[in-house]
Amino acid sequence: ERGDLSELEEEDPRFGVKKPDKRVEGERGDKTQSTAAESMSSTVLQSTMDTQKVLLQGPGNTTAALSQPAIKQAISAKQKLVVSIPTSVRLSNNEIQSLEILPQALLHVMPHPAARLLWLDVSFNKLRRIEDSLLQFPNLHTLYLHANKFTKLKEVDKLRELPGLKTLTLNGNPFEANPLYRTYVMGAVPGLKHLDHSPLTDLDLEWAEMWRAGFEKRERERRERA
């Protein structure tokens, strides 16, 4: 028996010794948070600008992309327009530390983002927590979180609030060094089909489900003893 999860999270699997305690950075000042929020809002707009198009529907349901002057002309002529609304957002390779204002930022590029967002890439940033704002998209089926700053595996439990999540990446975060990393994630997020760019087999999922049941039992027993 290797002990509970909290111990494993601190253990270096290469040497079997405890890692030095690293404190998570504290809250940033209001000025820093405001600057980050403005930057992310601008990045959201840029990332979806090329995918949001207005099309003119012609004979045989054919379509053609329109410029802004052509859109006005088509409206004046009462021609049928088709609006292409983005459902995917890429925010990778930035300095984002928080997704708190993501729902508000998405309002600039899509109507009803809580229902429409299906695919989100926030990899290669500086995220440390799964925030409640990320859980406001129940139809999200693909989420890229690799190469961030997550240190606690228990943060992954929050993703259970995304019932449609099928594809998830978390590799390249500090908690990947935990020997239980892959099993924990599979057990924490039921319904996953792909993890870290690889498909999951039925055997993977069965083993993770059994491990999760045992883990939750041990957690209950520990709380009862406390």
Side-chain angles (χ1 to χ4, degrees):
E1 183 72 20
R2 293 181 58 84
D4 62 29
L5 180 66
S6 60
E7 293 177 350
L8 285 171
E9 286 183 351
E10 298 174 355
E11 183 177 310
D12 190 326
R14 296 170 298 175
F15 308 109
V17 298
K18 297 288 184 179
K19 293 182 180 179
D21 185 20
K22 295 182 179 179
R23 301 296 180 186
V24 177
E25 295 179 14
E27 295 292 334
R28 303 293 184 184
D30 292 340
K31 183 176 180 181
T32 302
Q33 291 180 349
S34 176
T35 302
E38 292 173 2
S39 175
M40 185 174 69
S41 183
S42 175
T43 306
V44 169
L45 286 169
Q46 183 63 38
S47 69
T48 59
M49 193 175 296
D50 294 334
T51 62
Q52 191 168 16
K53 301 176 182 178
V54 177
L55 308 175
L56 171 65
Q57 185 168 335
N61 291 325
T62 58
T63 58
L66 299 181
S67 62
Q68 288 296 327
I71 292 171
K72 294 180 180 179
Q73 183 178 355
I75 293 174
S76 299
K78 296 183 179 180
Q79 292 176 295
K80 188 172 183 179
L81 298 178
V82 179
V83 179
S84 176
I85 299 174
T87 58
S88 304
V89 172
R90 176 177 281 112
L91 293 169
S92 57
N93 294 282
N94 286 287
E95 298 291 320
I96 298 172
Q97 300 177 30
S98 171
L99 296 175
E100 182 179 357
I101 54 89
L102 180 62
Q104 299 94 307
L106 290 182
L107 288 172
H108 293 281
V109 296
M110 66 176 70
H112 310 297
R116 294 185 182 274
L117 185 65
L118 304 179
W119 187 99
L120 178 63
D121 182 357
V122 285
S123 59
F124 292 96
N125 280 292
K126 295 184 177 181
L127 301 174
R128 296 178 180 275
R129 297 187 301 113
I130 303 295
E131 297 168 284
D132 290 342
S133 56
L134 186 58
L135 307 179
Q136 296 181 25
F137 307 101
N139 295 325
L140 193 66
H141 64 65
T142 299
L143 178 60
Y144 293 156
L145 288 169
H146 54 279
N148 274 282
K149 304 293 183 181
F150 295 105
T151 59
K152 295 294 183 181
L153 274 174
K154 288 190 176 182
E155 284 293 304
V156 180
D157 291 352
K158 299 175 184 178
L159 295 178
R160 285 174 171 260
E161 300 298 318
L162 298 175
L165 192 60
K166 303 298 181 186
T167 299
L168 175 66
T169 63
L170 287 165
N171 53 302
N173 283 285
F175 60 28
E176 188 184 12
N178 190 311
L180 285 175
Y181 158 73
R182 191 171 176 84
T183 301
Y184 189 94
V185 174
M186 288 188 293
V189 190
L192 275 185
K193 300 297 183 183
H194 293 82
L195 176 62
D196 296 341
H197 314 284
S198 299
L200 300 179
T201 66
D202 290 341
L203 186 60
D204 289 331
L205 298 174
E206 289 173 8
W207 164 248
E209 184 179 355
M210 288 189 296
W211 182 88
R212 181 76 187 189
F215 169 73
E216 291 178 347
K217 180 181 178 182
R218 292 191 297 273
E219 286 287 283
R220 286 193 302 269
E221 292 173 349
R222 182 162 49 214
R223 286 194 296 268
E224 290 171 358
R225 290 194 301 267

